[in-house]
Amino acid sequence: MSVTLAQAQSSIVAIGRWMDGKGWAPATAGNYSMRLDDGSFAVTVSGRHKGRLTAADVMRVDAAGRSLDGQTPSAETALHLDLYARFTDCGAVLHSHSPEAVGLSRAFPYAHAYDLRGHEMLKVLPGITTHDTSVALHIVDNSQDMTNIVAALVPVLLEPGAIPAYLIRGHGVYGWGRTMAEAERVIEGIEWMIAAELAERSFKA
């Protein structure tokens, strides 16, 4: 899909307001990006509140993460660019910071994955057509060095049946898709299933 900078800015501003309305973008948390038709990438500027984004808060970087307009990109831009390089059909990447996702990852401090099983919502994930299945939501440890996170993800992102999402412990969910609409469905579906899992556990407590 061909996407111009202006189109990406409009989409990212809208997704920021949506994420903020869900409570998934507290303070300046979160970062969003899209692949552009000229080979560069639109990404949120560092330190901006995602519920109050404007077009000026969405900038361009090249494939190495270098700014193309003098602004400073999100500190986690390298995680976005790794996904674009790894999956050539990836068109958008979103990062949410819900308290449920963070809480789940902290509640299982030694887990490397959490199984999502039997949810009707699994069918929002690409290639899944039934609730009667399970997927692994991989969990990697947080780091201020993005190369550590990328290295931890390499073996799991290419596993057979791997889903287009992962969880950074104590930090939040990354999800992606061919389009912004698909990335949004992935993030919303994963966040919903995490909340449902925690609700189920609370009833059983």
Side-chain angles (χ1 to χ4, degrees):
M1 176 176 288
S2 179
V3 178
T4 66
L5 176 61
Q7 289 170 330
Q9 287 170 328
S10 178
S11 293
I12 290 173
V13 167
I15 209 73
R17 292 174 182 166
W18 176 74
M19 287 271 205
D20 183 52
K22 292 279 191 180
W24 299 345
T28 61
N31 36 79
Y32 323 129
S33 69
M34 294 184 75
R35 189 192 297 270
L36 300 180
D37 55 11
D38 64 359
S40 65
F41 303 88
V43 62
T44 42
V45 175
S46 179
R48 304 297 166 86
H49 191 291
K50 304 312 180 294
R52 297 192 288 271
L53 293 176
T54 69
D57 300 315
V58 180
M59 60 177 292
R60 289 171 62 236
V61 298
D62 65 14
R66 293 181 292 253
S67 173
L68 296 177
D69 60 13
Q71 299 195 83
T72 302
S74 166
E76 296 169 34
T77 297
L79 300 182
H80 293 244
L81 296 178
D82 176 71
L83 293 170
Y84 290 121
R86 197 175 302 280
F87 304 111
T88 56
D89 62 345
C90 177
V93 179
L94 300 175
H95 176 34
S96 57
H97 277 250
S98 77
E100 292 86 359
V102 171
L104 179 74
S105 69
R106 288 169 59 88
F108 300 94
Y110 304 109
H112 297 295
Y114 186 92
D115 284 341
L116 297 169
R117 183 183 303 273
H119 290 283
E120 181 71 12
M121 194 63 67
L122 285 167
K123 294 192 292 185
V124 306
L125 300 175
I128 296 180
T129 59
T130 177
H131 73 283
D132 190 19
T133 188
S134 67
V135 301
L137 176 62
H138 288 288
I139 305 171
V140 297
D141 289 329
N142 198 9
S143 174
Q144 298 308 302
D145 185 342
M146 297 302 109
T147 60
N148 291 338
I149 297 177
V150 169
L153 287 169
V154 169
V156 301
L157 290 180
L158 300 180
E159 286 182 356
I163 63 173
Y166 63 84
L167 181 55
I168 300 177
R169 197 180 317 280
H171 190 70
V173 177
Y174 267 85
W176 58 95
R178 292 168 295 178
T179 64
M180 179 61 85
E182 185 172 289
E184 179 183 347
R185 287 196 298 273
V186 168
I187 282 285
E188 188 166 22
I190 293 293
E191 288 282 9
W192 188 94
M193 285 186 279
I194 288 173
E197 290 282 324
L198 293 176
E200 181 179 357
R201 287 177 175 274
S202 72
F203 285 121
K204 291 179 177 179

